[in-house]
Amino acid sequence: MIQAPESKPFHRLLLTGAGGGLGTVLRERIKPWADVVRLSDVRDIAPAGPGEEVIRCDLGDRAAVMALTEGVDAVLHFGGVSVEDKFEAIMHANILGLHHLYEAVHKRGIKRVIYASSSHVVGYYPTTQVVDTAAPLRPDGIYGVSKCFGEALSRYYFDRFGIETVCLRIGSSFDEPRNARMMVTFLAHDDLVELVRCALFTPRVGHTITYGVSDNPVRWWDNGAAAHLGFEPRHSSRAFADRFPAGGAWADAGDIASVYQGGPFLTAGPIYED
């Protein structure tokens, strides 16, 4: 007797920004969660494999975003500009594009979005201060401002239409820390995937904001308000402590990139055409 294939929790998940650094990590790791993973990016990415759909989409194109979300159960939104850039580029993808996405999510009746926000929404807090998710926003650049917009927009769509969102204030998610600052902000790839899983599968999240960070020895962020997600990081920057002596990143009190949590983003902008 042939057994029917085991049902997966979701029929179709949408991952935007699938060609980016974090999207590439998530692409393979989220397949057990859905029958079909729909992958989207503004540029060409690797062709679809088993259980995948690939759709090229500009988030600034409202009709294209509406088509992109057809038949989708939940959205992992990692698309958009992820560094400091000219306002026009950030506005197109991170502000206009995000509005298009939430309108499509609302019109399609999709009930949950996992939104890749950023720790740069609080980048102007000093490195000597621990910040929770209720602290006033202090973005360190136009990119950070766009992520503040995203958190506010997602809150509106929850309050107005009941669309649940978990905003992930991601620190620095790489295979390993690349400088002394990342000893604090490091989010291991395994922990990123686990955080996304918790955000997606926790029964009720309402509008939740959480910091995406591993179990590092120095902490700038308090995740107490997001304890209901059940996220327990299993990795730490401790394994790389010999590479970056403690205090080396913030030794120069006259350097704002050393004094504030946003690091080099504080001096990356604004960027103008002329």
Side-chain angles (χ1 to χ4, degrees):
M1 179 177 178
I2 299 176
Q3 290 185 330
E6 184 178 350
S7 177
K8 294 185 178 181
F10 294 92
H11 174 56
R12 179 178 284 105
L13 291 176
L14 169 61
L15 172 63
T16 67
L22 301 188
T24 301
V25 171
L26 291 170
R27 178 172 181 170
E28 291 299 322
R29 305 282 288 276
I30 66 175
K31 286 183 179 181
W33 305 344
D35 299 319
V36 179
V37 176
R38 179 173 291 170
L39 305 161
S40 175
D41 206 285
V42 71
R43 61 182 185 271
D44 291 332
I45 60 176
E52 293 182 337
E53 299 170 340
V54 171
I55 300 178
R56 185 170 178 173
C57 181
D58 179 349
L59 295 171
D61 183 336
R62 182 176 181 178
V65 175
M66 192 68 186
L68 179 68
T69 54
E70 182 177 5
V72 168
D73 300 321
V75 178
L76 312 182
H77 182 51
F78 283 73
V81 177
S82 61
V83 294
E84 193 69 6
D85 204 336
K86 296 182 289 294
F87 174 76
E88 290 77 10
I90 291 174
M91 182 276 294
H92 182 82
N94 295 16
I95 296 177
L96 180 64
L98 188 68
H99 178 259
H100 289 165
L101 179 67
Y102 268 93
E103 265 299 284
V105 164
H106 163 49
K107 296 289 176 58
R108 295 289 188 194
I110 300 168
K111 297 302 183 184
R112 186 168 300 190
V113 177
I114 311 305
Y115 171 58
S117 185
S118 172
S119 62
H120 291 286
V121 299
V122 291
Y124 252 112
Y125 279 95
T127 58
T128 54
Q129 184 172 346
V130 175
V131 184
D132 63 18
T133 57
L137 298 174
R138 295 182 65 178
D140 53 35
I142 298 301
Y143 165 70
V145 169
S146 76
K147 293 300 183 178
C148 294
F149 170 83
E151 292 189 4
L153 186 74
S154 62
R155 179 79 223 194
Y156 165 72
Y157 273 86
F158 171 64
D159 289 339
R160 181 70 175 84
F161 302 111
I163 297 167
E164 293 194 309
T165 294
V166 179
C167 299
L168 311 180
R169 290 184 178 174
I170 297 170
S172 307
S173 190
F174 295 96
D175 51 353
E176 59 186 45
R178 299 183 177 182
N179 54 48
R181 176 179 174 272
M182 289 188 189
M183 292 295 292
V184 183
T185 63
F186 178 59
L187 175 64
H189 286 161
D190 285 351
D191 286 339
L192 166 69
V193 175
E194 174 62 9
L195 178 58
V196 171
R197 189 195 67 80
C198 290
L200 187 62
F201 285 93
T202 296
R204 292 186 180 181
V205 296
H207 185 266
T208 295
I209 298 172
T210 183
Y211 290 99
V213 65
S214 289
D215 184 22
N216 305 324
V218 177
R219 301 187 182 188
W220 291 338
W221 308 316
D222 178 355
N223 257 341
H228 57 283
L229 296 180
F231 171 59
E232 296 182 3
R234 297 182 179 181
H235 297 268
S236 173
S237 62
R238 290 180 181 87
F240 308 95
D242 59 325
R243 301 186 187 182
F244 308 106
W250 356 104
D252 184 358
D255 176 13
I256 64 169
S258 299
V259 173
Y260 296 102
Q261 295 181 9
F265 273 63
L266 287 138
T267 56
I271 299 173
Y272 301 106
E273 291 283 357
D274 53 6

